[in-house]
Amino acid sequence: MDYGNDGNYSNTSYGGQGGAGGGGFIPGEGSQNSPGSASKGYGKDTLRPVTIKQINDAKNTQESDFTIDGAEISQITFVGQIRNISQQTTNITYKFDDGTGLVEVKQWIDSDAANPLEPADGSPPKLVENAYARVWGKLRSYGGKRHVGAHIIRPIVDLNEISYHLLEATAVHLYFTRGPLGSEGKPAINGNSNTTYDDGQNNSGRKLPPMSAAERKVYEILRTAPQGNEGLHMQEIASRTNLDMADIAKAGDNLLNSGVIYTTVDDTTWAVLEFS
């Protein structure tokens, strides 16, 4: 996984061995420098792709230690839209929104470095309200309120990176909650090992959770209807299924919680999470 400043994006192989050159989440990799590596494991040396909902739901085990999906986290990265920028003397506070929630991000101002909101060359600032950006940092809690202390905030150049990130965050979440892909004897979604579904495209025999009639309709429309990379909005699904918006919202929530679909440009636009 390469989140370098050149704007390129490539994936980590989850469950892979070793740490050759990758800066991302590598299950099983431990610290070689930290004195606590023997007991803390790789949790202290990972860069975990997350959503803002995962940040807000992270369990605070100690003042500065957090876990997501039962795994300790150190550095995190996420993509979101800047909703507000507030500049103080010593730091800049951003409010980020990724469709799953809101979180504050604080970036301390280095007196020897250029202020990202006041470029020395007079060019427009790259970080502005309503722009998309990627954040690298550490989750912190102060006075009962959590925020992300940012090391780097980089504007998004290729909007495909938003979808790539959401897919990667989903892959890591599924790794911790359901085991690696291809592992023998892993439980199916919701523990149902008998429900299989052939998607008619790759004949994968994909396991799916039990679905209500409304959930099945929503899933089938998302799977078969013509759509772009962003998937389909709830209103488009309603026009194709004749379901009430309330029924679609409930069905979508259940499918999201089951890991069958994921949100794209906002929390009411969905796409099917494909496995090959």
Side-chain angles (χ1 to χ4, degrees):
M1 177 172 58
D2 179 7
Y3 297 128
N5 291 331
D6 58 1
N8 293 328
Y9 183 101
S10 60
N11 291 330
T12 296
S13 177
Y14 297 107
Q17 301 297 319
F25 166 82
I26 305 176
E29 181 182 51
S31 169
Q32 297 180 358
N33 300 317
S34 171
S37 62
S39 59
K40 295 293 185 180
Y42 63 83
K44 285 295 186 182
D45 294 310
T46 58
L47 175 62
R48 172 88 183 252
V50 295
T51 64
I52 291 177
K53 184 179 188 301
Q54 288 179 304
I55 292 174
N56 293 329
D57 291 346
K59 293 183 179 180
N60 195 183
T61 56
Q62 295 181 13
E63 183 176 353
S64 59
D65 293 333
F66 292 85
T67 63
I68 295 177
D69 299 326
E72 190 173 358
I73 60 171
S74 178
Q75 309 300 320
I76 59 175
T77 182
F78 67 91
V79 170
Q81 191 172 18
I82 302 173
R83 294 301 190 186
N84 181 263
I85 301 175
S86 176
Q87 183 168 1
Q88 288 83 39
T89 303
T90 57
N91 69 82
I92 304 172
T93 300
Y94 304 85
K95 182 167 286 187
F96 271 82
D97 177 3
D98 71 347
T100 70
L102 297 170
V103 71
E104 283 192 350
V105 176
K106 294 184 180 293
Q107 186 174 36
W108 297 98
I109 298 174
D110 186 346
S111 59
D112 296 328
N115 187 326
L117 302 183
E118 300 175 1
D121 59 3
S123 60
K126 295 181 179 180
L127 298 174
V128 296
E129 290 184 5
N130 298 319
Y132 283 89
R134 177 180 286 279
V135 177
W136 290 264
K138 185 174 178 64
L139 182 56
R140 302 184 182 279
S141 178
Y142 180 76
K145 184 178 180 180
R146 62 185 58 180
H147 70 274
V148 175
H151 306 316
I152 301 173
I153 304 178
R154 173 176 60 75
I156 295 295
V157 177
D158 182 357
L159 293 181
N160 286 320
E161 186 173 344
I162 301 169
S163 297
Y164 296 158
H165 172 77
L166 291 172
L167 286 169
E168 188 165 38
T170 300
V172 178
H173 166 69
L174 292 175
Y175 175 91
F176 279 111
T177 57
R178 298 173 192 176
L181 290 176
S183 61
E184 295 296 330
K186 68 177 181 181
I189 298 174
N190 287 351
N192 185 351
S193 59
N194 296 319
T195 303
T196 62
Y197 181 76
D198 185 344
D199 64 12
Q201 296 177 1
N202 57 19
N203 298 318
S204 62
R206 177 184 174 188
K207 292 182 176 64
L208 290 176
M211 294 183 186
S212 67
E215 290 166 13
R216 173 65 68 180
K217 284 185 178 180
V218 171
Y219 177 80
E220 288 295 337
I221 288 298
L222 287 170
R223 191 180 67 84
T224 61
Q227 57 195 273
N229 293 332
E230 296 81 12
L232 294 178
H233 189 271
M234 284 176 58
Q235 292 181 343
E236 178 67 18
I237 297 172
S239 68
R240 293 173 180 269
T241 61
N242 294 320
L243 292 173
D244 292 336
M245 292 295 287
D247 292 335
I248 293 175
K250 181 178 179 180
D253 284 342
N254 291 336
L255 293 174
L256 287 166
N257 291 333
S258 297
V260 176
I261 64 175
Y262 67 98
T263 57
T264 58
V265 294
D266 56 44
D267 56 4
T268 56
T269 305
W270 309 320
V272 171
L273 182 60
E274 298 287 357
F275 291 92
S276 58

